[in-house]
Amino acid sequence: MSQSASGQVDHILTESRLFPPPQKFVDQAAINSEEQYQQLYDAAANDPDAFWDAEAKQHLHWFEPYQQVCKWDAPHAQWFVGGKTNASYNCLDAHIAAGHGDRKALIWEGEPGDTVTLTYAELHEQVCKTANALKALGIGLGDVVSIYMPMTPELPIAMLACARIGAIHSVIFAGFSAESIADRNNDAGAKLVITANGLYRRGKVLPLKKTVDEALEKSPTVKHCLVLQRIADQDTPMVEGRDIWWHESVASASNDCPATPLDSETPLFVLYTSGSTGKPKGILHTTAGYNLWAKRTFQWVFDHRDDDVYWCTADCGWITGHSYLVYGPLAAGATCLMYEGAPNHPAEDRFWDLVEKYKVTVMYTAPTAIRAFIKWGDQHVDAHDLSSLRLLGTVGEGINPEAWMWYHKKIGNEQCPIVDTWWQTETGGIMMSPLPGVTATKPGSCTKPLPGVVPAVIDEMGDEITGHNGGMLCIAQPWPGMLRGIWGDQQRYVEQYWSKVPGKYLTGDNARRDEDGYYWIMGRIDDVINVSGHRLSTIEVESALVSHPAVCEAAVVGRPHDLKGQGIAAFVTVRDQEPNEELRAELRQHVRKEIGALAQPDDIRFTSALPKTRSGKIMRRLLRDIAAGNEAAGDTSTLEDYSVLVKLREQDES
Ligand code: WTA
């Protein structure tokens, strides 16, 4: 089991506490009985076409009706075939048409404390103007727009502006390097990059535009760069003919821009994520199915009510920000809080200050953040009134029961259900989660599948496990939010997700189902590590290390890390030079430059050789054990050179 080194698996296997939803919550919840859940679940499983037909008709706006609910030509799905809709319309115009234009859509707070509130009508206007500004730059149906921005309101505005005119956004997390931006621009053939002249992070300014300038030297397809002036007095060189200020082009643009009726399967966005091979893959999501999935899963899982103030703390650079800060909640007409900066700026109570100030009712965050809050101390929580909260959620990695209990007691005051949501960039939206008014939760389990999700746990022989043993988690039926492919590489899509277990979607996660039918996610089966809830492939980091002239060979593994969940340990052999502290620092910096800060190894160990099997494969299992500080366990008989292992271990002890 790939995560056994972290100890998490052992913990969750012995977890038996059960937390039924508080009666007060049940009484007001939209779905509040086991029968209701079962009915929905069965309806979706038994007659998916009828179920999704009714859902789509009720929950999306159709400019033209579809002819077929799902065309499944395994492993290629099309949903709502022949219909025409628009995600930006569903998120904005639909609410205005229903008389809710005055409802708050976005309540935003910047790191320095500046604020912006936009109603649905105001957000609509900004999106229309921005869409017209994009058109003026020659952007239209099918063009790819890279977005590399701070968490300002203009980021969701830019996404929705693309969606409005059928352009495909590719949001790149603003912590990535110039190299990573250029790779993504080139892979997607981006025509435009939208960025800002700076980003506030813990009071400092990071010069985003400078990074983009560097990336654009290697991005021949990009014709223009639209620049938001986030920082007032920042010297920002602009390249004539290429760079345009947001405040100049958007301010002067018309606010009349009707949403383009788009075919259901029109690509909505590409989002790059790490897989088990080195090159990040552009996960492709399309318009109708994705939008419906994001909206309905949001409503089910967060028991959404019109008077909620909902806060998803994720950055739009990740799928959680796409589905649960933009497309899900806005399609549902929710009021969303959005915060720009770090959770510990100016102090470690910033999140709780925000909850109190805006009377947040539903909060969705990540286990890595929860672990940081625990470390920072309860006094930061105690200083604030959190009584507005009624529901809590987590995503990104498994939550260890201790952190779950702290979240439950300290933040939820034992009054708020916790929804531990399991899903992936590829799945578009939440796949397994408690329904907060129904499911009795077990700390560490994502509990049960949502309607439309048919999981299967598969053993090494490819057979379904009906008992309680762990195995590969697969999904047996298509669902509306599923990825439609990997940008530019359909072959890789088929191989990666549909080949190992024929006919089923391979998630890459291990899971087991307990006697109550609850699922427990037990880490990855491939070479993907999860650092602070963010996916990185070990090979990606290895390639970055090996691209440094001093490095001969590198092996990267995950190791347990108190705050990040998994940290990165790198074992490196160097060419003719004595490794020293300077080189170690240089290599960390190099990885930062190649990929971004979150890929920096926590631990770099120099070694004269890497432990390999006789057939030349790096023995990652042993390295994982060494990195975790455990005795290298298991069979070492195929080790080519046992002395390598001894040396590595000695280094550990020194
Ligand atoms: C892991 C994030 C356990 C899992 C939405 C998955 C989780 C990967 C959970 C996807 C959870 C996400 N419990 N593990 N509640 N949520 N994961 O694509 O390994 O960034 O495959 O999507 O994160 O990460 P991604």
Side-chain angles (χ1 to χ4, degrees):
M1 229 150 282
S2 61
Q3 274 208 348
S4 58
S6 75
Q8 190 187 331
V9 172
D10 302 337
H11 276 300
I12 60 177
L13 287 180
T14 54
E15 181 59 50
S16 60
R17 285 170 288 195
L18 197 65
F19 294 85
Q23 194 56 44
K24 204 170 90 195
F25 192 95
V26 177
D27 290 343
Q28 55 76 59
I31 304 175
N32 62 2
S33 71
E34 188 62 38
E35 295 74 58
Q36 254 178 308
Y37 162 71
Q38 206 56 51
Q39 246 173 25
L40 273 175
Y41 189 85
D42 291 345
N46 299 338
D47 192 349
D49 276 9
F51 182 84
W52 290 113
D53 185 28
E55 289 282 325
K57 285 198 172 113
Q58 189 184 343
H59 293 285
L60 294 182
H61 169 81
W62 294 99
F63 295 101
E64 282 175 34
Y66 47 86
Q67 279 90 49
Q68 192 180 351
V69 175
C70 178
K71 187 159 176 249
W72 179 227
D73 182 10
H76 303 286
Q78 293 175 54
W79 285 83
F80 313 114
V81 185
K84 288 201 192 300
T85 183
N86 182 296
S88 163
Y89 187 100
N90 292 317
C91 290
L92 302 168
D93 308 57
H95 306 305
I96 296 168
H100 301 312
D102 291 340
R103 187 184 291 165
K104 285 177 191 159
L106 220 51
I107 303 172
W108 175 84
E109 185 163 311
E111 196 185 75
D114 42 345
T115 61
V116 170
T117 300
L118 293 173
T119 63
Y120 274 91
E122 289 163 342
L123 183 59
H124 174 261
E125 181 173 11
Q126 290 306 314
V127 169
C128 287
K129 286 167 87 79
T130 308
N132 278 330
L134 296 185
K135 280 190 200 162
L137 292 173
I139 299 300
L141 183 68
D143 291 330
V144 176
V145 176
S146 292
I147 302 179
Y148 183 75
M149 292 182 86
M151 279 285 284
T152 52
E154 288 81 1
L155 172 45
I157 288 170
M159 292 164 74
L160 291 165
C162 289
R164 200 158 184 87
I165 59 174
I168 306 163
H169 58 71
S170 163
V171 184
I172 303 168
F173 175 62
F176 279 119
S177 65
E179 269 322 304
S180 298
I181 303 169
D183 284 350
R184 285 156 174 76
N185 284 341
N186 292 329
D187 188 78
K191 277 174 83 172
L192 169 72
V193 176
I194 308 182
T195 188
N197 69 339
L199 163 85
Y200 288 110
R201 198 69 187 170
R202 292 194 185 89
K204 289 209 189 89
V205 172
L206 305 182
L208 287 192
K209 168 69 164 52
K210 232 164 120 186
T211 310
V212 169
D213 283 341
E214 216 185 297
L216 292 190
E217 282 169 23
K218 298 179 202 158
S219 310
T221 58
V222 176
K223 300 287 172 266
H224 291 289
C225 180
L226 184 60
V227 188
L228 175 76
Q229 190 176 32
R230 171 67 184 122
I231 316 289
D233 326 300
Q234 171 97 344
D235 179 31
T236 312
M238 299 287 275
V239 174
E240 215 184 306
R242 188 194 73 183
D243 301 350
I244 304 101
W245 283 110
W246 177 290
H247 57 268
E248 287 172 6
S249 71
V250 174
S252 60
S254 150
N255 60 7
D256 180 25
C257 180
T260 310
L262 298 171
D263 196 86
S264 294
E265 286 296 338
T266 305
L268 177 62
F269 66 84
V270 184
L271 183 58
Y272 284 85
T273 189
S274 301
S276 50
T277 64
K279 190 170 165 268
K281 44 191 182 186
I283 301 299
L284 173 67
H285 283 288
T286 58
T287 299
Y290 168 82
N291 202 187
L292 181 66
W293 189 250
K295 176 179 182 179
R296 294 301 284 145
T297 53
F298 171 77
Q299 290 172 320
W300 288 329
V301 171
F302 297 103
D303 182 47
H304 178 63
R305 301 196 323 216
D306 288 344
D307 59 351
D308 273 327
V309 177
Y310 162 84
W311 184 21
C312 167
T313 70
D315 192 288
C316 286
W318 313 111
I319 190 68
T320 307
H322 282 60
S323 302
Y324 298 107
L325 184 59
V326 183
Y327 290 108
L330 294 180
T335 297
C336 305
L337 176 63
M338 179 176 179
Y339 169 58
E340 177 185 39
N344 55 354
H345 189 84
E348 281 85 359
D349 69 339
R350 185 66 184 267
F351 271 25
W352 317 120
D353 182 55
L354 287 163
V355 169
E356 179 172 6
K357 179 170 172 190
Y358 294 105
K359 299 201 168 29
V360 172
T361 59
V362 179
M363 182 173 179
Y364 190 32
T365 193
T368 183
I370 297 169
R371 288 190 296 265
F373 301 139
I374 296 173
K375 182 168 165 243
W376 293 339
D378 289 358
Q379 68 276 18
H380 303 296
V381 181
D382 294 338
H384 294 279
D385 175 8
L386 307 184
S387 60
S388 56
L389 288 169
R390 67 180 193 95
L391 177 59
L392 303 172
T394 70
V395 60
E397 62 183 306
I399 179 166
N400 40 321
E402 285 75 8
W404 195 101
M405 288 307 297
W406 183 88
Y407 200 29
H408 171 67
K409 287 192 175 145
K410 208 65 216 167
I411 307 304
N413 193 27
E414 304 186 30
Q415 302 298 311
C416 305
I418 295 179
V419 287
D420 174 351
T421 62
W422 174 84
W423 58 294
Q424 311 177 292
T425 305
E426 291 87 342
T427 68
I430 299 170
M431 299 293 275
M432 296 206 246
S433 167
L435 290 186
V438 177
T439 319
T441 50
K442 301 183 188 184
S445 167
C446 59
T447 74
K448 293 198 176 177
L450 293 181
V453 177
V454 183
V457 181
I458 306 290
D459 68 17
E460 276 303 321
M461 305 301 295
D463 296 322
E464 187 155 355
I465 299 172
T466 48
H468 310 310
N469 289 338
M472 296 178 281
L473 179 62
C474 294
I475 309 293
Q477 271 182 23
W479 66 101
M482 67 188 277
L483 77 164
R484 299 299 196 268
I486 295 176
W487 187 262
D489 199 347
Q490 285 305 10
Q491 190 55 32
R492 192 171 165 201
Y493 166 73
V494 176
E495 277 164 18
Q496 183 120 24
Y497 301 108
W498 300 93
S499 299
K500 191 156 181 180
V501 183
K504 295 190 172 63
Y505 166 77
L506 183 76
T507 67
D509 284 345
N510 267 316
R512 76 180 260 275
R513 186 174 40 224
D514 71 14
E515 45 295 335
D516 297 322
Y518 281 39
Y519 288 81
W520 300 80
I521 306 295
M522 300 160 82
R524 303 280 309 180
I525 52 182
D526 52 23
D527 287 324
V528 173
I529 45 181
N530 192 325
V531 180
S532 302
H534 302 135
R535 279 162 66 172
L536 284 168
S537 90
T538 52
I539 299 150
E540 225 173 319
V541 184
E542 283 164 7
S543 307
L545 284 165
V546 173
S547 73
H548 188 282
V551 174
C552 186
E553 236 187 344
V556 164
V557 295
R559 68 159 172 83
H561 187 288
D562 284 349
L563 290 180
K564 302 185 195 173
Q566 279 191 299
I568 300 176
F571 297 84
V572 173
T573 62
V574 294
R575 290 174 211 279
D576 39 67
Q577 100 177 65
E578 265 308 298
N580 54 22
E581 275 315 307
E582 218 172 292
L583 180 61
R584 186 173 275 136
E586 199 179 309
L587 290 181
R588 283 170 54 84
Q589 197 50 39
H590 181 69
V591 174
R592 189 187 177 106
K593 187 168 168 294
E594 289 292 307
I595 307 177
L598 51 96
Q600 271 191 128
D602 298 277
D603 195 1
I604 295 182
R605 302 195 198 188
F606 295 110
T607 168
S608 55
L610 292 169
K612 288 186 186 161
T613 63
R614 279 180 200 142
S615 65
K617 274 194 171 160
I618 294 172
M619 298 190 78
R620 290 168 183 285
R621 176 173 53 82
L622 296 180
L623 293 177
R624 269 197 293 267
D625 282 341
I626 293 170
N630 300 341
E631 277 292 293
D635 183 14
T636 53
S637 58
T638 52
L639 243 185
E640 188 200 355
D641 180 2
Y642 191 76
S643 65
V644 169
L645 193 62
V646 175
K647 275 195 207 128
L648 283 170
R649 220 189 272 138
E650 277 167 2
Q651 197 187 348
D652 195 30
E653 280 153 13
S654 64

